Amino acid sequence: DTGVSQDPRHKITKRGQNVTFRCDPISEHNRLYWYRQTLGQGPEFLTYFQNEAQLEKSRLLSDRFSAERPKGSFSTLEIQRTEQGDSAMYLCAIRQGGNYGYTFGSGTRLTVV
Amino acid sequence: TQLLEQSPQFLSIQEGENLTVYCNSSSVFSSLQWYRQEPGEGPVLLVTVVTGGEVKKLKRLTFQFGDARKDSSLHITAAQTGDTGLYLCAGAASGGSNYKLTFGKGTLLTVNP
């Protein structure tokens, strides 16, 4: 149990379909992050929430991507009109403040065929 | 853009050997973290270093933060097969308030029995 639950763990979708991922921190944390990791690379920052406010978005997050955190607890990441280049591990993380690092979820592995 | 370069990219050693992994940047970081990631899982935080020149020990793992806070190293003594995994370094930018992390590409360590 990592403290962050992500659902689903794996998703296979056809190109052009929409997909939605969910991230549930076990306890309340005001800062929540989404990262994307492709094979052979480290995680890359996508977006960041402080409570329900989305404060920063990476240029990696095209118009097809949207993220929400409606009540400042769980978060969703939606990808519309998926492309093969969207295939990656999508990671959600929380930060406990101070000099503590992130606690990551187990990720959602997306495969676009 | 802040970049973190990790070396070596791949490392295969025998159980009982010692090893060092490096993480270098031209940028100054307010803190640097090391994570270990297993296949199909999210990264797990090992340590956070904050002060230039800081050395932290975690059992057989020794972490060092460079004096100028631009680089770090991870030394493993008497490696065990359970140390196998992807080791990622990640830095938080100086002066940033969002604590967004920049990750290196990682060092894939294989410890053979």
Side-chain angles (χ1 to χ4, degrees), chain B residues 14-42:
Chain B
Q14 295 301 120
E15 199 169 24
E17 293 183 359
N18 301 335
L19 66 114
T20 303
V21 172
Y22 299 93
C23 176
N24 295 293
S25 176
S26 58
S27 302
V28 176
F29 293 98
S30 62
S31 68
L32 198 139
Q33 299 162 17
W34 285 91
Y35 293 81
R36 188 166 80 95
Q37 186 177 25
E38 298 194 11
E41 298 294 330

Side-chain angles (χ1 to χ4, degrees), chain A residues 9 31 33 35 37 40-45 48 56 59 89 91 95 98-102 104-107 109, chain B residues 1 9 30-31 33 35 37 40-45 48 50 86 88 97-106:
Chain A
R9 291 292 311 275
R31 296 190 179 196
Y33 302 79
Y35 279 73
Q37 186 177 23
Q41 303 291 323
E44 295 174 292
F45 172 79
Y48 149 66
E56 186 172 346
R59 283 176 292 178
M89 172 81 91
L91 294 160
R95 179 175 168 250
N99 289 320
Y100 293 103
Y102 289 178
F104 280 92
S106 296
R109 167 72 65 188
Chain B
T1 302
Q9 191 175 352
S30 62
S31 68
Q33 299 162 17
Y35 293 81
Q37 186 177 25
E41 298 294 330
V44 176
L45 179 68
T48 300
V50 177
L86 180 67
L88 294 159
S97 62
N98 59 18
Y99 212 76
K100 179 176 66 178
L101 292 181
T102 299
F103 282 83
K105 291 185 177 182

Side-chain angles (χ1 to χ4, degrees), chain A residues 72-105:
Chain A
S73 55
F74 73 92
S75 178
T76 58
L77 178 67
E78 181 184 14
I79 309 174
Q80 296 182 329
R81 304 181 303 282
T82 52
E83 301 173 355
Q84 285 188 320
D86 297 332
S87 295
M89 172 81 91
Y90 289 84
L91 294 160
C92 176
I94 56 174
R95 179 175 168 250
Q96 298 188 30
N99 289 320
Y100 293 103
Y102 289 178
T103 297
F104 280 92

